[in-house]
Amino acid sequence: MLRAVLALLSLAVPATAGDFLLVHPIDCDLDGPCYIQQYVDHDATDAATDFTCAGLTYNGHKGTDFALPDRSYINRGIDVLASASGTVKGIRDGMPDTGYSDTTAAAVQDRECGNGVVVGHAEGWETQYCHLRSGSIRVKRGDVISAGTVLGQVGMSGRAEFPHVHLSVRQDGRVVDPFDPDGEITCGAPDRTTLWADAPQYRAGGIISIGTSTAIPDFAEIRVGDVAGATARGDALVIWSYLFGVRKNDILRLDLRGPDRITIARNIEIERNQAQAFRAIGKKRKSESWPAGRYAGEATLLRDGVEIDRQSLTLTLP
Ligand SMILES: [Zn+2]
């Protein structure tokens, strides 16, 4: 009985600074198909390090980027969620989902956040959500909202080079990394206390997606999510993989096997650190068509000889 009373009391206690906890700001699994592309930069110089002292950030980055696998997912309407309860302090909507390039740089200047929402919380905390899909924002200034309230949808407005929601967390105007709120980075040994109710797993690079095609695809097609798959009469049979956070000397193993002992397989060594990359291998068609039946493809990413990610696919040709 006493325990039940205490449990009720603890639910009723108002939040204090130490109780400020965040839920994930995106309605998508961060172990795939979605992922975290960039964390807060902890390096005060021109260099950049994330809270694990690795490179999943860039100089001056003040938030965490929760990414969709490609631009086609914008049209699926992936919700952006309030990370904590509070009051909407401001919104902006109506900017196009064109992303950042030389041609859009002038249009997004001073509006880098794109379509965004700022939410105020207790104890001087504030969260900001950027790059939302044009026309998707569902809240207005003054709305009192709960953790998990839908604010809008993930897009690519403002200074965004890939579709994602950028979450900034601040207290009294100071940037706080939700993965490392005390700001003292402990390379390799993550803080035991984060601001997350359920901290996303740190993925130090991985596979965003894999697919097949009839030719080596363009990177632009992969990023848009517009690669047509392999066909029975395709000029080539190709397997490709789209990657994030790859490092020099990582090994990507691509493997595609089908009927009649068709085997396309190779270990590809990554030659430099890259935020995003893709690799593809294939074979040219020499007979009338590729053998009919079921094909199995796999991409495996290895770092220091240890598998860090894997994705597979199946394909059936008529
Ligand atoms: Zn960002």
Side-chain angles (χ1 to χ4, degrees):
M1 182 58 197
L2 181 60
R3 187 168 290 173
V5 170
L6 283 175
L8 283 173
L9 282 175
S10 70
L11 283 175
V13 170
T16 64
D19 293 329
F20 182 66
L21 285 179
L22 304 172
V23 301
H24 299 187
I26 186 169
D27 185 18
C28 184
D29 190 338
L30 295 171
D31 290 323
C34 293
Y35 66 102
I36 296 177
Q37 176 73 61
Q38 327 263 15
Y39 295 83
V40 172
D41 176 20
H42 283 266
D43 188 302
T45 72
D46 287 349
T49 58
D50 66 25
F51 72 102
T52 72
C53 301
L56 280 180
T57 184
Y58 60 85
N59 186 32
H61 193 227
K62 295 182 169 68
T64 309
D65 292 343
F66 298 82
L68 305 181
D70 62 55
R71 290 176 70 163
S72 74
Y73 277 73
I74 295 175
N75 299 328
R76 300 189 188 195
I78 307 295
D79 287 336
V80 172
L81 310 174
S83 277
S85 60
T87 304
V88 176
K89 293 173 83 172
I91 67 153
R92 176 171 52 219
D93 203 346
M95 286 177 68
D97 290 296
T98 42
Y100 185 75
S101 65
D102 290 346
T103 48
T104 63
V108 305
Q109 192 174 6
D110 302 323
R111 298 190 296 167
E112 280 84 359
C113 180
N115 305 317
V117 179
V118 177
V119 181
H121 312 281
E123 306 285 340
W125 288 99
E126 189 174 86
T127 53
Q128 181 175 15
Y129 311 77
C130 294
H131 316 307
L132 273 61
R133 184 183 185 188
S134 186
S136 75
I137 293 182
R138 290 208 208 157
V139 292
K140 58 183 191 308
R141 188 184 161 95
D143 283 359
V144 175
I145 57 170
S146 314
T149 294
V150 176
L151 302 176
Q153 293 171 342
V154 184
M156 203 168 148
S157 57
R159 190 173 183 133
E161 294 184 54
F162 53 94
H164 69 282
V165 57
H166 165 112
L167 173 70
S168 276
V169 180
R170 296 181 284 263
Q171 189 177 30
D172 301 326
R174 184 178 55 91
V175 173
V176 176
D177 182 349
F179 290 87
D180 188 7
D182 66 13
E184 291 173 21
I185 56 173
T186 48
C187 306
D191 280 23
R192 289 170 61 164
T193 53
T194 72
L195 289 184
W196 298 105
D198 177 17
Q201 178 86 24
Y202 180 78
R203 296 171 66 196
I207 297 168
I208 301 170
S209 57
I210 69 170
T212 62
S213 53
T214 60
I216 301 292
D218 290 333
F219 202 3
E221 293 174 315
I222 289 177
R223 295 174 61 132
V224 170
D226 193 25
V227 182
T231 61
R233 304 241 172 173
D235 290 340
L237 182 58
V238 169
I239 179 169
W240 55 266
S241 182
Y242 181 22
L243 310 159
F244 76 97
V246 290
R247 296 186 195 164
K248 182 177 160 67
N249 300 328
D250 282 355
I251 302 288
L252 176 69
R253 182 182 297 153
L254 289 175
D255 193 301
L256 181 64
R257 287 159 204 268
D260 298 352
R261 297 188 185 179
I262 292 274
T263 300
I264 298 167
R266 214 173 110 197
N267 286 352
I268 303 163
E269 184 166 351
I270 305 295
E271 59 288 340
R272 62 189 173 96
N273 295 1
Q274 279 182 286
Q276 293 196 339
F278 89 97
R279 294 292 184 276
I281 58 171
K283 268 189 182 155
K284 284 231 153 72
R285 178 168 53 81
K286 296 203 174 85
S287 51
E288 183 122 330
S289 66
W290 296 103
R294 186 176 175 278
Y295 292 69
E298 195 164 71
T300 311
L301 186 63
L302 300 136
R303 181 164 296 164
D304 301 324
V306 177
E307 178 182 321
I308 63 168
D309 207 358
R310 178 197 294 246
Q311 279 193 23
S312 54
L313 61 77
T314 58
L315 164 76
T316 303
L317 293 180

